[in-house]
């Protein structure tokens, strides 16, 4: 039995390839680990981007928090607690203009915190979130895993780097790509679903 945290960042609902592929992966994980639970966190709409009020709360010692600090740190605290509680993260990451949606970046900014999810010591940075498995579900209209567009993929290297920075180094990437390319778009999703068996 595993605790699965699913991060949804696409606002497209049932039309979203990243959501559909994430759900297919989660179904496979539930088959592999009977009794697993799933918590979905949808950051696609309304998730707070960092503001000065959040930063003030982050860098104020907890024993000095005002009521305003407590209000503005709540989202970060809850998001980090959800990660700590999970065994497996499934992060849906549609590619927008070669990168991740701003709301997914906002979630990352709320959970990557010095002294909380990483620290610096004499050996450099150390991630403090240990023992997690993460799957990054990347959807894209073109093909970025190989070929002439490969260097334009800023989704997978960024997410793998930032996850590793907080200690999550066991990361698999599953792609549904070419969804807008004539000749391969019809088979793109089926190919992606078939690839799940190799990594789940």
């Amino acid at each position: 039995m595993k605790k699965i945290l699913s991060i949804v960042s696409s606002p497209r609902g049932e039309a979203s390839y990243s959501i559909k592929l994430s759900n297919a992966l989660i179904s496979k994980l539930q088959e592999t680990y009977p009794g697993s639970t799933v918590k979905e966190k949808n950051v696609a709409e309304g998730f707070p981007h960092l503001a000065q009020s959040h930063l003030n709360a982050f860098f104020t010692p907890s024993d000095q928090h005002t009521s305003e600090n407590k209000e503005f740190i709540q989202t970060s605290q809850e998001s980090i607690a959800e990660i700590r509680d999970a065994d497996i993260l499934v992060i849906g990451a549609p590619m927008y203009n070669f990168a991740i949606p701003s709301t997914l970046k906002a979630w990352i900014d709320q959970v990557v915190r010095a002294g909380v999810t990483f620290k610096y010591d004499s050996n450099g940075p150390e991630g403090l979130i240990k023992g997690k498995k993460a799957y990054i579900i990347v959807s894209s209209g073109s093909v970025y895993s190989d070929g002439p567009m490969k260097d334009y993929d800023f989704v997978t290297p960024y997410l793998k780097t930032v996850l590793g920075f907080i200690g999550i180094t066991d990361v698999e990437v599953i792609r549904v790509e070419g969804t807008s390319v004539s000749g391969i778009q019809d088979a793109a999703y089926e190919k992606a679903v078939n690839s799940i068996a190799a990594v789940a």
Side-chain angles (χ1 to χ4, degrees):
M1 185 179 113
K2 300 290 185 180
K3 293 181 180 179
I4 302 168
L5 175 63
S6 174
I7 306 299
V8 176
S9 66
S10 172
R12 299 186 65 223
E14 293 182 358
S16 166
Y17 283 107
S18 66
I19 292 176
K20 288 192 287 188
L21 190 57
S22 291
N23 289 339
L25 170 63
I26 290 168
S27 293
K28 179 63 176 179
L29 291 172
Q30 289 177 308
E31 290 178 13
T32 304
Y33 306 107
S36 292
T37 60
V38 181
K39 179 168 186 177
E40 180 180 294
K41 188 175 193 72
N42 192 324
V43 303
E45 297 180 11
F47 197 84
H49 290 68
L50 283 191
Q52 185 63 46
S53 52
H54 298 105
L55 297 175
N56 288 342
F58 292 172
F59 294 106
T60 299
S62 58
D63 60 352
Q64 298 176 28
H65 275 173
T66 64
S67 57
E68 183 181 60
N69 290 152
K70 292 176 182 178
E71 176 186 352
F72 283 104
I73 207 171
Q74 183 176 349
T75 295
S76 174
Q77 301 284 66
E78 290 178 351
S79 298
I80 292 170
E82 289 166 348
I83 294 174
R84 291 191 186 280
D85 187 54
D87 301 302
I88 299 172
L89 278 69
V90 176
I91 302 174
M95 182 183 288
Y96 290 175
N97 299 317
F98 313 123
I100 60 175
S102 68
T103 51
L104 182 54
K105 177 61 164 62
W107 176 77
I108 290 169
D109 290 340
Q110 294 279 4
V111 301
V112 179
R113 286 177 49 199
V116 181
T117 55
F118 74 93
K119 67 177 182 179
Y120 286 104
D121 58 24
S122 59
N123 297 316
E126 178 188 354
L128 300 177
I129 306 294
K130 309 286 190 179
K132 310 295 180 184
K133 173 78 176 186
Y135 294 90
I136 302 171
I137 308 299
V138 183
S139 61
S140 58
S142 189
V143 175
Y144 293 88
S145 60
D146 200 8
M149 299 297 289
K150 185 174 182 178
D151 289 345
Y152 291 87
D153 175 14
F154 298 100
V155 173
T156 49
Y158 172 71
L159 288 177
K160 291 178 76 172
T161 297
V162 78
L163 288 171
F165 190 76
I166 62 173
I168 302 174
T169 56
D170 186 0
V171 179
E172 298 280 358
V173 177
I174 304 175
R175 296 177 180 268
V176 51
E177 56 183 347
T179 58
S180 298
V181 179
S182 178
I184 65 172
Q185 60 188 171
D186 293 340
Y189 180 68
E190 182 179 356
K191 179 181 178 181
V193 171
N194 290 338
S195 73
I196 288 174
V199 295

